[in-house]
Amino acid sequence: MLIVQKYGGTSVGSLERIEKVARRVARSKDDGNELVVVVSAMSGETNKLIEYAHHFSRTPSKREMDILLSSGERVTASLLAIALQEMGYDAIAMTGRQAGIKTDDSHTYARIESIKTEALTRELEKGRIVIVAGFQGISESGNVTTLGRGGSDLSAVALAGALKADACEIYSDVDGIYTTDPRIEPKARKLDFISYDEMLELSSLGAKVLQNRSVELAKKMGVRIVAKSSFSDSEGTIIAQEDEKMEAVLVSGIALDKNQARVSLRDLPDRPGIAAEIFDRLAKEQINVDMIIQNASREGMTNLGFTVPQSELARAAKVIESTGHKIGSADYDENVCKVSVVGVGMKSHSGIAAEAFKALASNNINIEMISTSEIKISMIIDEKFGELAVRVLHEVYELDK
Ligand code: ADP
Ligand code: ASP
Ligand code: MG
């Protein structure tokens, strides 16, 4: 079998852990598999590099950030290859460019456009274990790019798709996908199976166990993912097409996204085009606006509220300060979070949302913004109630049963 394995930050978080991963990889090689192994930076490393950059600038240039951040994954890829070589295995480390990963040029959040697998295939044919530095690629103009936080998952799925691998195994410190983050709710239950659509919602809404883009690509390319632990040999969770599943559950999980910030603009002139202009400028700066609320206007003035990822708040503030319009006041709040209920079964059931609102209200948790889709309900609340809200909702929908 040709297997793509991906080991995340905690799995390669120390030299001892890298050694353990090397043994796991070696075992799979001994079983007769062909292996491409994608690795993340050692845990904490990417954050440390970002802090270094912020020492010099609040808004460092994205091109330089990519060169900086891509280095973390290279460290682990080369160390893992060296560890395997020392154990007598023929292994070779590659950067994203060497592995043929071509992206567009949106620095720090680049999209993979194609993968030239020739070099990889050549090494596999020589019987080598190929170790690829995750999270990175190369743009048309030859610049190093990175694929967004958690992007090594995307590298793994894209490689599995391009190589038509028989399996794509994503290893982390949890043994699969749970009904919610087991660190927040110890009663969370491990799922044997979750559909691409539900997983996509959970990851887009903050469950960082898999990067949302990687799930999106897995669905598009039909790559079946198995999420497993690198710390144990337990079964893991399969992420695949919905129809493979026996029964559709009502609610499959709760997600919490703490990386949210709210922008509130008060006393904005209520003229056509102003909101459009603000959001257009934010989009040009590649700032992802999520929930938007505009109040009914009074005396020609209106209020506008929306959320952006915390990491983009400083840039959003810059954009707003530079609009020519007279804004009464702009305030920025980092102390909010988004809690979401996800489940494909919601499509055909009403009343799920009402239950969520009631449960939060009876715990005195105020909901500041709401958005819903066919298969999710998201609520913006005070950050300090985030984890409590997760537990309350987990209980209401009896997810531990
Ligand atoms: P890696 O560094 O290996 O990529 P991550 O830290 O990105 O791993 O993802 C694993 C973490 O995701 C777990 O430690 C867990 O706390 C968190 N997590 C959040 N939501 C879930 C969920 N629904 N199921 C499992 N883990 C989750
Ligand atoms: N090291 C990168 C991050 O921390 C990518 C990854 O781990 O997947 O976001
Ligand atoms: Mg991750």
Side-chain angles (χ1 to χ4, degrees), residues 237-307:
T237 301
I238 295 166
I239 298 112
Q241 241 355 299
E242 194 181 328
D243 43 305
E244 286 188 34
K245 188 165 53 168
M246 320 289 251
E247 51 170 334
V249 290
L250 208 55
V251 170
S252 51
I254 315 287
L256 176 65
D257 185 353
K258 292 185 180 168
N259 177 29
Q260 291 274 318
R262 192 184 50 189
V263 178
S264 309
L265 306 180
R266 298 215 171 77
D267 297 329
L268 198 67
D270 190 17
R271 278 197 315 270
I274 293 188
E277 189 201 311
I278 290 175
F279 292 125
D280 184 51
R281 280 174 175 241
L282 291 167
K284 286 208 177 92
E285 287 291 317
Q286 294 175 355
I287 295 167
N288 292 305
V289 174
D290 184 14
M291 286 193 213
I292 303 176
I293 286 188
Q294 178 161 12
N295 292 63
S297 68
R298 277 179 52 207
E299 293 161 12
M301 294 296 199
T302 187
N303 297 337
L304 184 64
F306 55 89
T307 60

Side-chain angles (χ1 to χ4, degrees), residues 124-290:
L124 288 172
E125 277 165 2
K126 288 182 202 157
R128 289 186 167 152
I129 302 168
V130 183
I131 319 287
V132 180
F135 179 52
Q136 57 190 276
I138 193 93
S139 71
E140 187 74 58
S141 51
N143 284 307
V144 177
T145 52
T146 63
L147 309 175
R149 296 308 304 270
S152 298
D153 294 336
L154 181 62
S155 310
V157 168
L159 286 169
L163 293 163
K164 302 199 164 52
D166 300 292
C168 178
E169 302 171 345
I170 299 206
Y171 290 90
S172 71
D173 58 352
V174 271
D175 57 358
I177 312 299
Y178 280 70
T179 46
T180 194
D181 190 338
R183 285 189 217 225
I184 297 175
E185 173 52 282
K187 283 188 259 169
R189 188 169 43 84
K190 192 178 99 182
L191 304 166
D192 298 327
F193 180 97
I194 185 166
S195 70
Y196 290 126
D197 289 335
E198 287 166 308
M199 191 66 236
L200 187 55
E201 288 291 345
L202 282 179
S203 351
S204 307
L205 296 169
K208 65 168 196 156
V209 59
L210 284 177
Q211 191 215 29
N212 61 334
R213 278 179 163 187
S214 72
V215 183
E216 198 175 62
L217 187 69
K219 180 181 178 186
K220 197 161 129 197
M221 300 187 87
V223 172
R224 211 177 131 93
I225 300 175
V226 186
K228 290 181 158 189
S229 165
S230 69
F231 293 76
S232 76
D233 283 320
S234 71
E235 280 284 308
T237 301
I238 295 166
I239 298 112
Q241 241 355 299
E242 194 181 328
D243 43 305
E244 286 188 34
K245 188 165 53 168
M246 320 289 251
E247 51 170 334
V249 290
L250 208 55
V251 170
S252 51
I254 315 287
L256 176 65
D257 185 353
K258 292 185 180 168
N259 177 29
Q260 291 274 318
R262 192 184 50 189
V263 178
S264 309
L265 306 180
R266 298 215 171 77
D267 297 329
L268 198 67
D270 190 17
R271 278 197 315 270
I274 293 188
E277 189 201 311
I278 290 175
F279 292 125
D280 184 51
R281 280 174 175 241
L282 291 167
K284 286 208 177 92
E285 287 291 317
Q286 294 175 355
I287 295 167
N288 292 305
V289 174
D290 184 14

Side-chain angles (χ1 to χ4, degrees), residues 6-7 37-41 46 69-77 94-97 99 101 131-137 144-148 150-156 159:
K6 178 256 165 175
Y7 293 92
V37 181
V38 176
V39 287
S40 288
T46 308
L69 298 190
S70 66
S71 67
E73 279 41 33
R74 295 176 183 213
V75 170
T76 12
M94 288 186 173
T95 64
R97 179 179 65 80
I101 301 177
I131 319 287
V132 180
F135 179 52
Q136 57 190 276
V144 177
T145 52
T146 63
L147 309 175
S152 298
D153 294 336
L154 181 62
S155 310
L159 286 169

Side-chain angles (χ1 to χ4, degrees), residues 197 242 250 343-350 352 373-376:
D197 289 335
E242 194 181 328
L250 208 55
V344 286
M346 281 190 227
K347 278 185 200 170
S348 47
H349 281 76
S350 53
I352 307 271
S373 79
E374 268 201 316
I375 65 169
K376 70 118 201 275

